[in-house]
Amino acid sequence: MNKLVALFLTLFTCVVAGSAASAEEINVLLPQRNANEAIAPFIAAKYLGYLDQEGIDASYVLAAGSNEVAIQVATGNAPIGWASPAQAVIGMQDGAGAAPLDLRYFSAVEYRNIWSISVPADSPVNSVAELKGKRIGVTALGSAGMNYGKAYLRAAGLNPDRDVTFIPIGAGGQAITAMKQKVIDAIVFWETANITFGIAGSPVRQLPIEQKLATLPDVSLLATNETIKKNPKLLVGFARALAKGLDFCLANRAACVLMTWKIYPESKPAEGTPEQKLERGLKMTTTWDGWTDAQLGDRRGEFIESRWNDLSDFLLQGGQIAKPVPASRMFTAEFVGEINNYDRAAIVKQAKEFDLKSLQ
Protein backbone atom coordinates (compact mmCIF):
# COMPACT_ATOMS: atom_id res chain seq x y z
CA MET A 1 0.00 0.00 0.00
CA ASN A 2 2.83 2.39 0.93
CA LYS A 3 4.45 1.73 -2.43
CA LEU A 4 1.21 2.60 -4.21
CA VAL A 5 0.90 5.84 -2.23
CA ALA A 6 4.52 6.69 -2.97
CA LEU A 7 3.98 5.99 -6.66
CA PHE A 8 0.87 8.17 -6.71
CA LEU A 9 2.68 11.04 -5.00
CA THR A 10 5.57 10.74 -7.42
CA LEU A 11 3.24 10.84 -10.42
CA PHE A 12 1.29 13.76 -8.91
CA THR A 13 4.50 15.71 -8.32
CA CYS A 14 5.60 15.10 -11.89
CA VAL A 15 2.26 16.28 -13.25
CA VAL A 16 2.35 19.46 -11.16
CA ALA A 17 5.97 20.13 -12.07
CA GLY A 18 5.23 19.52 -15.73
CA SER A 19 2.25 21.84 -15.59
CA ALA A 20 4.33 24.59 -13.97
CA ALA A 21 7.08 24.13 -16.53
CA SER A 22 4.59 24.43 -19.38
CA ALA A 23 3.10 27.70 -18.11
CA GLU A 24 3.57 30.46 -20.67
CA GLU A 25 5.68 33.26 -19.21
CA ILE A 26 4.59 36.71 -20.37
CA ASN A 27 4.83 40.38 -19.48
CA VAL A 28 1.62 42.38 -19.26
CA LEU A 29 1.90 46.16 -19.47
CA LEU A 30 -0.22 48.39 -17.24
CA PRO A 31 -0.35 52.19 -17.84
CA GLN A 32 0.63 53.28 -14.33
CA ARG A 33 3.88 54.58 -12.91
CA ASN A 34 2.99 53.29 -9.45
CA ALA A 35 0.91 50.35 -8.26
CA ASN A 36 -2.25 51.07 -6.29
CA GLU A 37 -5.54 49.44 -5.34
CA ALA A 38 -7.10 50.30 -8.73
CA ILE A 39 -5.21 47.40 -10.35
CA ALA A 40 -6.21 44.86 -7.67
CA PRO A 41 -8.26 42.67 -10.06
CA PHE A 42 -5.03 42.03 -11.99
CA ILE A 43 -3.24 41.24 -8.74
CA ALA A 44 -6.07 38.94 -7.62
CA ALA A 45 -5.95 37.07 -10.93
CA LYS A 46 -2.36 36.12 -10.17
CA TYR A 47 -2.42 35.81 -6.37
CA LEU A 48 -5.48 33.56 -6.30
CA GLY A 49 -4.16 31.21 -8.98
CA TYR A 50 -6.62 32.10 -11.75
CA LEU A 51 -3.73 32.68 -14.16
CA ASP A 52 -2.14 29.40 -13.11
CA GLN A 53 -5.37 27.63 -14.05
CA GLU A 54 -4.97 29.06 -17.56
CA GLY A 55 -1.33 27.98 -17.85
CA ILE A 56 -0.08 31.56 -17.68
CA ASP A 57 2.79 32.98 -15.63
CA ALA A 58 2.31 36.75 -15.96
CA SER A 59 4.57 39.54 -14.72
CA TYR A 60 3.03 42.99 -14.54
CA VAL A 61 5.17 45.80 -15.89
CA LEU A 62 4.18 49.36 -15.01
CA ALA A 63 4.56 51.77 -17.93
CA ALA A 64 4.42 55.53 -18.37
CA GLY A 65 0.90 55.77 -19.77
CA SER A 66 -1.31 54.18 -22.39
CA ASN A 67 0.67 55.51 -25.35
CA GLU A 68 3.78 53.74 -24.09
CA VAL A 69 1.80 50.53 -23.53
CA ALA A 70 0.41 50.57 -27.08
CA ILE A 71 3.83 51.18 -28.63
CA GLN A 72 5.54 48.46 -26.58
CA VAL A 73 2.87 45.87 -27.43
CA ALA A 74 2.95 46.86 -31.10
CA THR A 75 6.73 46.39 -31.22
CA GLY A 76 6.53 42.95 -29.62
CA ASN A 77 7.94 43.77 -26.19
CA ALA A 78 4.84 42.30 -24.49
CA PRO A 79 1.95 40.24 -25.88
CA ILE A 80 -0.77 41.96 -23.82
CA GLY A 81 -1.34 45.53 -22.71
CA TRP A 82 -3.99 47.41 -20.78
CA ALA A 83 -4.36 50.78 -22.45
CA SER A 84 -6.74 53.61 -23.17
CA PRO A 85 -8.22 53.15 -26.66
CA ALA A 86 -8.05 56.87 -27.39
CA GLN A 87 -4.26 56.71 -27.73
CA ALA A 88 -4.14 53.32 -29.44
CA VAL A 89 -6.84 54.10 -32.00
CA ILE A 90 -4.97 57.23 -33.09
CA GLY A 91 -2.05 54.97 -33.93
CA MET A 92 -4.28 52.46 -35.73
CA GLN A 93 -5.43 54.88 -38.44
CA ASP A 94 -4.14 54.48 -41.99
CA GLY A 95 -2.50 57.24 -43.97
CA ALA A 96 -1.12 59.14 -40.97
CA GLY A 97 2.38 59.33 -42.44
CA ALA A 98 3.64 56.26 -40.59
CA ALA A 99 2.77 52.59 -40.55
CA PRO A 100 -0.37 52.08 -38.44
CA LEU A 101 -0.03 50.18 -35.18
CA ASP A 102 -0.91 46.53 -35.77
CA LEU A 103 -3.14 46.35 -32.69
CA ARG A 104 -6.70 45.42 -31.77
CA TYR A 105 -8.60 45.23 -28.50
CA PHE A 106 -9.75 41.74 -27.54
CA SER A 107 -11.47 42.27 -24.18
CA ALA A 108 -13.22 45.40 -22.88
CA VAL A 109 -12.52 46.41 -19.28
CA GLU A 110 -13.52 50.04 -18.53
CA TYR A 111 -17.03 50.99 -19.64
CA ARG A 112 -16.83 54.64 -18.67
CA ASN A 113 -14.50 57.48 -19.47
CA ILE A 114 -11.91 57.82 -16.70
CA TRP A 115 -11.28 61.50 -17.58
CA SER A 116 -13.43 64.18 -15.96
CA ILE A 117 -13.54 67.94 -15.67
CA SER A 118 -13.71 68.85 -11.99
CA VAL A 119 -13.62 71.82 -9.64
CA PRO A 120 -12.59 72.11 -5.99
CA ALA A 121 -15.39 70.79 -3.77
CA ASP A 122 -16.16 74.27 -2.42
CA SER A 123 -16.23 75.95 -5.86
CA PRO A 124 -19.39 77.89 -6.83
CA VAL A 125 -19.12 76.49 -10.37
CA ASN A 126 -21.77 73.83 -11.12
CA SER A 127 -21.57 73.37 -14.90
CA VAL A 128 -18.95 73.26 -17.63
CA ALA A 129 -20.57 76.30 -19.28
CA GLU A 130 -19.75 78.35 -16.17
CA LEU A 131 -16.03 77.84 -16.82
CA LYS A 132 -15.97 80.58 -19.45
CA GLY A 133 -13.05 82.87 -18.68
CA LYS A 134 -11.61 80.39 -16.18
CA ARG A 135 -8.24 78.62 -15.88
CA ILE A 136 -8.18 74.84 -16.30
CA GLY A 137 -5.32 72.69 -15.04
CA VAL A 138 -3.92 69.72 -16.95
CA THR A 139 -0.80 67.66 -16.32
CA ALA A 140 0.81 69.02 -19.49
CA LEU A 141 -0.34 70.88 -22.59
CA GLY A 142 0.29 67.76 -24.67
CA SER A 143 -1.58 65.41 -22.35
CA ALA A 144 -4.75 63.45 -23.08
CA GLY A 145 -6.48 65.76 -20.60
CA MET A 146 -6.28 68.54 -23.18
CA ASN A 147 -8.23 66.49 -25.73
CA TYR A 148 -10.93 65.47 -23.26
CA GLY A 149 -11.16 68.93 -21.74
CA LYS A 150 -11.65 70.56 -25.12
CA ALA A 151 -14.38 68.06 -26.00
CA TYR A 152 -16.27 68.78 -22.75
CA LEU A 153 -16.03 72.51 -23.38
CA ARG A 154 -17.23 72.22 -26.98
CA ALA A 155 -20.19 70.09 -25.86
CA ALA A 156 -21.10 72.87 -23.41
CA GLY A 157 -21.07 75.49 -26.17
CA LEU A 158 -17.68 77.01 -25.36
CA ASN A 159 -14.70 77.57 -27.62
CA PRO A 160 -11.79 75.79 -25.88
CA ASP A 161 -9.21 77.88 -27.77
CA ARG A 162 -10.75 81.22 -26.83
CA ASP A 163 -13.04 80.94 -23.80
CA VAL A 164 -10.67 79.30 -21.28
CA THR A 165 -6.96 79.10 -20.47
CA PHE A 166 -5.29 75.72 -20.04
CA ILE A 167 -2.42 75.68 -17.53
CA PRO A 168 0.05 72.79 -17.05
CA ILE A 169 0.21 71.93 -13.33
CA GLY A 170 1.93 68.55 -13.35
CA ALA A 171 0.58 65.76 -11.16
CA GLY A 172 0.59 64.65 -7.53
CA GLY A 173 1.76 67.21 -4.99
CA GLN A 174 2.45 69.83 -7.63
CA ALA A 175 -1.16 69.68 -8.83
CA ILE A 176 -2.52 69.78 -5.27
CA THR A 177 -0.45 72.90 -4.57
CA ALA A 178 -1.83 74.58 -7.70
CA MET A 179 -5.37 73.92 -6.49
CA LYS A 180 -4.71 75.10 -2.95
CA GLN A 181 -3.10 78.29 -4.19
CA LYS A 182 -6.05 78.96 -6.56
CA VAL A 183 -3.76 78.94 -9.60
CA ILE A 184 -6.54 77.16 -11.48
CA ASP A 185 -10.34 77.05 -11.28
CA ALA A 186 -10.85 73.52 -12.60
CA ILE A 187 -8.87 70.44 -13.62
CA VAL A 188 -9.09 67.72 -16.24
CA PHE A 189 -7.62 64.62 -14.60
CA TRP A 190 -8.23 60.87 -14.52
CA GLU A 191 -10.29 59.02 -11.95
CA THR A 192 -7.61 57.68 -9.60
CA ALA A 193 -5.89 61.08 -9.48
CA ASN A 194 -9.14 62.72 -8.37
CA ILE A 195 -9.53 60.14 -5.60
CA THR A 196 -5.95 60.77 -4.49
CA PHE A 197 -6.61 64.51 -4.29
CA GLY A 198 -9.52 63.85 -1.93
CA ILE A 199 -7.43 61.55 0.27
CA ALA A 200 -4.74 64.27 0.41
CA GLY A 201 -7.28 66.82 1.67
CA SER A 202 -8.08 68.60 -1.60
CA PRO A 203 -11.39 67.00 -2.69
CA VAL A 204 -12.77 67.79 -6.11
CA ARG A 205 -16.28 67.62 -7.55
CA GLN A 206 -16.91 66.39 -11.08
CA LEU A 207 -19.00 68.58 -13.34
CA PRO A 208 -21.75 66.89 -15.38
CA ILE A 209 -20.75 66.10 -18.96
CA GLU A 210 -22.68 64.83 -21.95
CA GLN A 211 -23.64 61.14 -21.50
CA LYS A 212 -22.12 60.25 -24.85
CA LEU A 213 -18.75 61.51 -23.61
CA ALA A 214 -19.11 60.03 -20.11
CA THR A 215 -19.53 56.50 -21.52
CA LEU A 216 -16.63 56.52 -23.96
CA PRO A 217 -14.80 53.18 -23.58
CA ASP A 218 -11.52 53.34 -21.73
CA VAL A 219 -8.57 51.20 -20.64
CA SER A 220 -9.02 47.69 -22.04
CA LEU A 221 -6.91 44.72 -23.14
CA LEU A 222 -5.14 44.83 -26.48
CA ALA A 223 -2.73 42.69 -28.50
CA THR A 224 -1.30 42.61 -31.99
CA ASN A 225 -3.42 41.12 -34.76
CA GLU A 226 -0.77 38.42 -35.11
CA THR A 227 -1.15 37.37 -31.47
CA ILE A 228 -4.94 37.41 -31.83
CA LYS A 229 -4.62 35.06 -34.79
CA LYS A 230 -1.84 32.77 -33.57
CA ASN A 231 -2.30 32.61 -29.80
CA PRO A 232 -5.98 33.05 -28.93
CA LYS A 233 -5.63 30.61 -26.01
CA LEU A 234 -3.29 33.01 -24.23
CA LEU A 235 -5.59 36.00 -24.72
CA VAL A 236 -8.74 34.16 -23.68
CA GLY A 237 -6.97 32.70 -20.65
CA PHE A 238 -5.64 36.02 -19.44
CA ALA A 239 -8.94 37.85 -19.97
CA ARG A 240 -10.86 35.08 -18.22
CA ALA A 241 -8.47 35.15 -15.24
CA LEU A 242 -8.88 38.93 -15.03
CA ALA A 243 -12.67 38.56 -15.17
CA LYS A 244 -12.47 36.16 -12.22
CA GLY A 245 -10.20 38.62 -10.40
CA LEU A 246 -12.77 41.37 -10.92
CA ASP A 247 -15.63 39.20 -9.68
CA PHE A 248 -13.63 38.31 -6.58
CA CYS A 249 -12.70 41.94 -5.88
CA LEU A 250 -16.25 43.21 -6.33
CA ALA A 251 -17.44 40.60 -3.83
CA ASN A 252 -14.65 41.29 -1.29
CA ARG A 253 -13.09 44.70 -1.78
CA ALA A 254 -11.20 44.64 1.51
CA ALA A 255 -9.41 41.42 0.56
CA CYS A 256 -8.22 42.93 -2.71
CA VAL A 257 -6.98 46.07 -0.98
CA LEU A 258 -4.95 43.96 1.45
CA MET A 259 -3.77 41.79 -1.42
CA THR A 260 -2.44 44.88 -3.21
CA TRP A 261 -0.57 45.98 -0.11
CA LYS A 262 0.93 42.53 0.35
CA ILE A 263 2.28 42.36 -3.21
CA TYR A 264 3.14 46.07 -3.44
CA PRO A 265 3.94 47.20 0.15
CA GLU A 266 4.77 50.70 -1.09
CA SER A 267 1.10 51.21 -2.02
CA LYS A 268 -0.04 50.95 1.61
CA PRO A 269 -0.73 54.30 3.33
CA ALA A 270 2.08 55.19 5.72
CA GLU A 271 -0.03 57.03 8.28
CA GLY A 272 -3.19 56.38 10.24
CA THR A 273 -4.76 53.49 12.11
CA PRO A 274 -5.34 50.18 10.32
CA GLU A 275 -8.99 51.17 9.94
CA GLN A 276 -8.11 54.56 8.44
CA LYS A 277 -5.65 52.97 6.03
CA LEU A 278 -8.24 50.45 4.86
CA GLU A 279 -10.81 53.21 4.43
CA ARG A 280 -8.42 55.07 2.12
CA GLY A 281 -7.67 51.92 0.17
CA LEU A 282 -11.37 51.19 -0.28
CA LYS A 283 -11.91 54.66 -1.77
CA MET A 284 -9.65 53.67 -4.65
CA THR A 285 -11.77 50.59 -5.34
CA THR A 286 -14.63 52.75 -6.62
CA THR A 287 -12.77 52.72 -9.93
CA TRP A 288 -13.87 49.09 -10.40
CA ASP A 289 -17.49 50.24 -10.65
CA GLY A 290 -16.68 51.35 -14.19
CA TRP A 291 -15.46 47.84 -15.07
CA THR A 292 -19.06 46.68 -15.37
CA ASP A 293 -22.08 48.09 -17.15
CA ALA A 294 -25.79 47.66 -16.41
CA GLN A 295 -26.43 47.11 -20.11
CA LEU A 296 -24.33 43.92 -20.00
CA GLY A 297 -25.19 42.48 -16.59
CA ASP A 298 -22.54 39.97 -15.50
CA ARG A 299 -20.91 39.63 -18.92
CA ARG A 300 -17.20 40.45 -18.86
CA GLY A 301 -15.09 41.65 -21.77
CA GLU A 302 -18.13 42.50 -23.91
CA PHE A 303 -17.79 45.42 -26.33
CA ILE A 304 -20.59 47.97 -26.75
CA GLU A 305 -20.08 48.84 -30.40
CA SER A 306 -22.03 52.11 -30.38
CA ARG A 307 -19.71 53.51 -27.73
CA TRP A 308 -16.62 52.60 -29.72
CA ASN A 309 -18.15 54.41 -32.69
CA ASP A 310 -18.64 57.36 -30.35
CA LEU A 311 -14.93 57.14 -29.56
CA SER A 312 -14.09 57.35 -33.25
CA ASP A 313 -16.34 60.42 -33.56
CA PHE A 314 -14.69 61.98 -30.50
CA LEU A 315 -11.22 61.57 -32.00
CA LEU A 316 -12.42 62.81 -35.40
CA GLN A 317 -13.99 65.95 -33.95
CA GLY A 318 -10.85 66.60 -31.94
CA GLY A 319 -8.71 66.40 -35.08
CA GLN A 320 -6.75 63.43 -33.80
CA ILE A 321 -7.75 61.17 -36.67
CA ALA A 322 -8.41 62.15 -40.28
CA LYS A 323 -11.28 59.78 -40.93
CA PRO A 324 -13.52 57.46 -38.88
CA VAL A 325 -12.00 54.18 -37.68
CA PRO A 326 -14.53 51.33 -38.00
CA ALA A 327 -15.33 49.30 -34.89
CA SER A 328 -14.07 46.13 -36.58
CA ARG A 329 -10.63 47.75 -36.83
CA MET A 330 -10.62 48.76 -33.16
CA PHE A 331 -11.70 45.51 -31.54
CA THR A 332 -12.63 41.87 -32.02
CA ALA A 333 -15.45 40.31 -30.01
CA GLU A 334 -14.61 36.73 -31.02
CA PHE A 335 -13.33 35.74 -27.56
CA VAL A 336 -16.11 37.12 -25.37
CA GLY A 337 -18.02 33.83 -25.13
CA GLU A 338 -14.95 31.89 -24.02
CA ILE A 339 -13.90 34.63 -21.60
CA ASN A 340 -17.20 34.19 -19.76
CA ASN A 341 -16.98 30.39 -19.68
CA TYR A 342 -16.47 29.91 -15.93
CA ASP A 343 -18.44 29.47 -12.70
CA ARG A 344 -18.98 33.05 -11.53
CA ALA A 345 -21.00 31.92 -8.49
CA ALA A 346 -18.05 29.84 -7.30
CA ILE A 347 -15.73 32.86 -7.50
CA VAL A 348 -18.14 35.02 -5.52
CA LYS A 349 -18.47 32.26 -2.91
CA GLN A 350 -14.69 32.03 -2.65
CA ALA A 351 -14.50 35.80 -2.13
CA LYS A 352 -17.14 35.89 0.59
CA GLU A 353 -15.47 33.02 2.48
CA PHE A 354 -11.93 34.36 2.07
CA ASP A 355 -9.92 34.71 5.29
CA LEU A 356 -8.60 38.27 5.52
CA LYS A 357 -6.15 37.22 8.24
CA SER A 358 -4.17 35.33 5.59
CA LEU A 359 -3.20 38.71 4.12
CA GLN A 360 -2.18 40.42 7.36
Side-chain angles (χ1 to χ4, degrees), residues 20-31:
S22 64
E24 185 166 1
E25 296 182 9
I26 63 168
N27 287 332
V28 176
L29 297 176
L30 307 182

Side-chain angles (χ1 to χ4, degrees), residues 215-288:
T215 56
L216 290 176
D218 221 295
V219 279
S220 295
L221 298 178
L222 54 67
T224 62
N225 286 305
E226 182 178 14
T227 301
I228 289 171
K229 181 180 179 180
K230 294 184 177 180
N231 201 351
K233 182 177 182 293
L234 170 67
L235 305 185
V236 169
F238 184 84
R240 184 161 50 214
L242 178 59
K244 292 177 181 178
L246 174 60
D247 288 332
F248 182 98
C249 287
L250 290 175
N252 193 337
R253 293 177 187 249
C256 285
V257 169
L258 297 176
M259 209 175 290
T260 302
W261 295 348
K262 183 169 184 176
I263 303 303
Y264 295 98
E266 68 276 12
S267 67
K268 184 176 182 178
E271 301 178 353
T273 65
E275 293 76 18
Q276 290 171 331
K277 292 178 181 180
L278 182 58
E279 182 182 359
R280 292 173 196 165
L282 288 172
K283 287 180 180 179
M284 198 69 76
T285 73
T286 59
T287 60
W288 308 336

Side-chain angles (χ1 to χ4, degrees), residues 9 30 49 108 117 130 136 190 209 212 248 262 273 279 327 333:
L9 290 175
L30 307 182
I117 187 163
E130 294 175 52
I136 301 176
W190 59 99
I209 58 174
K212 185 177 180 179
F248 182 98
K262 183 169 184 176
T273 65
E279 182 182 359

Side-chain angles (χ1 to χ4, degrees), residues 94-242:
D94 295 313
L101 296 180
D102 182 36
L103 298 171
R104 188 173 273 113
Y105 284 86
F106 64 89
S107 182
V109 177
E110 278 270 12
Y111 290 94
R112 70 183 182 200
N113 182 358
I114 65 172
W115 291 87
S116 64
I117 187 163
S118 306
V119 294
D122 60 356
S123 170
V125 174
N126 291 302
S127 70
V128 177
E130 294 175 52
L131 291 175
K132 186 172 183 178
K134 304 293 187 181
R135 298 157 299 177
I136 301 176
V138 291
T139 56
L141 295 181
S143 71
M146 285 287 293
N147 302 321
Y148 285 98
K150 288 184 175 182
Y152 304 153
L153 293 163
R154 283 194 296 267
L158 300 181
N159 184 325
D161 299 318
R162 185 180 63 231
D163 293 335
V164 303
T165 302
F166 284 99
I167 298 177
I169 61 172
Q174 187 179 350
I176 291 174
T177 299
M179 285 191 285
K180 287 183 174 179
Q181 295 180 350
K182 308 295 184 183
V183 173
I184 45 86
D185 303 291
I187 58 171
V188 182
F189 271 62
W190 59 99
E191 190 173 20
T192 54
N194 287 345
I195 296 172
T196 301
F197 294 152
I199 292 174
S202 296
V204 296
R205 171 169 46 84
Q206 293 186 25
L207 299 177
I209 58 174
E210 187 178 283
Q211 182 68 10
K212 185 177 180 179
L213 293 172
T215 56
L216 290 176
D218 221 295
V219 279
S220 295
L221 298 178
L222 54 67
T224 62
N225 286 305
E226 182 178 14
T227 301
I228 289 171
K229 181 180 179 180
K230 294 184 177 180
N231 201 351
K233 182 177 182 293
L234 170 67
L235 305 185
V236 169
F238 184 84
R240 184 161 50 214
L242 178 59

Side-chain angles (χ1 to χ4, degrees), residues 2 43 47 55 61 140-141 166 191 233 266 273 285 296-297 301-302 318 331 358 360:
N2 289 337
I43 297 169
Y47 186 87
V61 180
L141 295 181
F166 284 99
E191 190 173 20
K233 182 177 182 293
E266 68 276 12
T273 65
T285 73
L296 302 175
E302 188 88 54
F331 68 80
S358 66
Q360 295 172 336

